[in-house]
Amino acid sequence: MTEQVMAAIDGSQFSPAVCDYAAWASLALGAPLTFLHVVDNHPQTAEADLSGNIGLGSREHLLEELSQLDEQRARVAQDQGRLMLKAACERAVEDGVAEPGTRQRNGTLVETLAELQDEIRLLVLGKRGETAHQASEHLGSNLERVVRTLHRPILMVPNDFKRPERVMLAFDGSNTTRKGVEMLARSPLFNGIPVHVVIVGAETGDNRSQLDWALTALREAGHEAEGTIRAGEVEETLRIYQAENAIDLLVMGAYGHSRIRHLLVGSTTTAMLRRAKVPVLLLR
């Protein structure tokens, strides 16, 4: 089964950037690109219990009408989704992708991606979904659930595309981040893009040894790499380094018990991702 770059799109303001980053990744990886749109058809009628307000016959008639309305809404959502997928493909072709594919599914995004994850090499999705304009200070709940469910790299993107020119890897010597280094070393995604490896912690012999290993692995694979060890609070230290060095893509591990990987468990990560102005590649 061919692993592909899969881009989840909806009607949010993030979808154009999702298209552009997915096209960039598809071309860099030499992997097929598929756009995915999921129609969530949760019935609306179940939310209304009108039995105490109207007679039985009237209630049955109203519920029948509401059911018909749900069906109409589902058809409209599917039609809108097909138009979105068509527009996404046209945008990807303009970006240089030869034959992008599309998929439309009914259900929830998380369940759909869990079913498809064996086909996914990289998932691209926006920070927030269709209600982003209503909750600009909140991280999309779908994103958090997807990160916890999927065992594939996930590229979370902001609402403006910028071709990455400098990448920062938040590194702590854990198995997850060592695998991240090995993935970066062998992946064509960041060919020709300088990689900054940052350890947040004390200047110890172990940290220095870990950093040297990461830099050697990247350089031996042909990457331009530099690294540093900085003391401080993880989120703030990474954010400052990012600003100082014009980093435009952050790579980090998703789960674990170290200070960096713990970010995606508590409020610190939620805050970091919410404030992120650059794409974040999350590794499992």
Side-chain angles (χ1 to χ4, degrees), residues 9-271:
I9 62 170
D10 55 18
S12 76
Q13 66 189 46
F14 291 85
S15 288
V18 169
C19 294
D20 292 339
Y21 276 107
W24 164 76
S26 171
L27 293 170
L29 293 170
L33 171 59
T34 296
F35 291 106
L36 172 69
H37 177 258
V38 179
V39 180
D40 192 342
N41 288 332
H42 284 140
Q44 302 297 316
T45 54
E47 298 177 3
D49 181 3
L50 307 176
S51 58
N53 300 324
I54 57 179
L56 179 61
S58 299
R59 179 175 180 268
E60 290 177 346
H61 177 69
L62 179 57
L63 291 180
E64 182 180 348
E65 289 186 346
L66 289 172
S67 178
Q68 293 173 355
L69 182 59
D70 284 338
E71 292 177 3
Q72 293 173 1
R73 286 172 175 162
R75 287 195 296 270
V76 170
Q78 289 175 338
D79 290 343
Q80 288 178 328
R82 283 191 284 269
L83 291 175
M84 285 185 231
L85 290 169
K86 182 175 183 293
C89 285
E90 292 172 351
R91 191 178 183 103
V93 169
E94 290 177 0
D95 288 338
V97 178
E99 296 181 352
T102 64
R103 285 193 180 184
Q104 187 175 58
R105 292 288 189 92
N106 292 321
T108 69
L109 178 63
V110 177
E111 291 171 352
T112 300
L113 290 173
E115 292 173 3
L116 297 175
Q117 73 170 320
D118 288 344
E119 304 176 35
I120 298 174
R121 181 172 179 178
L122 173 69
L123 173 66
V124 184
L125 75 169
K127 288 173 63 175
R128 298 187 292 276
E130 290 180 285
T131 59
H133 63 287
Q134 301 170 5
S136 60
E137 294 303 317
H138 297 281
L139 190 66
S141 59
N142 267 335
L143 174 61
E144 292 182 284
R145 289 196 296 267
V146 168
V147 172
R148 293 178 184 279
T149 302
L150 224 60
H151 294 272
R152 290 290 184 271
I154 300 172
L155 182 62
M156 181 210 75
V157 305
N159 58 0
D160 291 309
F161 173 75
K162 180 182 183 298
R163 185 177 297 275
E165 297 177 354
R166 294 179 185 84
V167 174
M168 176 173 70
L169 171 65
F171 184 68
D172 60 13
S174 65
N175 286 337
T176 299
T177 54
R178 287 176 75 93
K179 288 179 181 177
V181 169
E182 293 168 349
M183 187 207 78
L184 291 184
R186 66 175 180 266
S187 173
L189 186 62
F190 300 122
N191 280 353
I193 302 176
V195 179
H196 295 241
V197 182
V198 180
I199 293 179
V200 180
E203 177 69 61
T204 65
D206 182 62
N207 278 341
R208 179 55 59 181
S209 175
Q210 296 283 7
L211 180 62
D212 289 343
W213 172 87
L215 294 176
T216 298
L218 290 166
R219 289 167 180 165
E220 287 182 348
H223 293 276
E224 179 184 340
E226 59 181 276
T228 188
I229 300 171
R230 289 195 177 186
E233 190 274 328
V234 175
E235 180 202 352
E236 180 182 11
T237 302
L238 293 175
R239 192 169 61 247
I240 291 173
Y241 186 92
Q242 174 192 333
E244 290 176 349
N245 294 274
I247 301 294
D248 42 31
L249 192 146
L250 169 64
V251 182
M252 61 189 302
Y255 286 105
H257 301 290
S258 73
R259 289 200 297 160
I260 286 178
R261 287 176 294 145
H262 181 69
L263 285 173
L264 274 176
V265 177
S267 59
T268 303
T269 292
T270 302

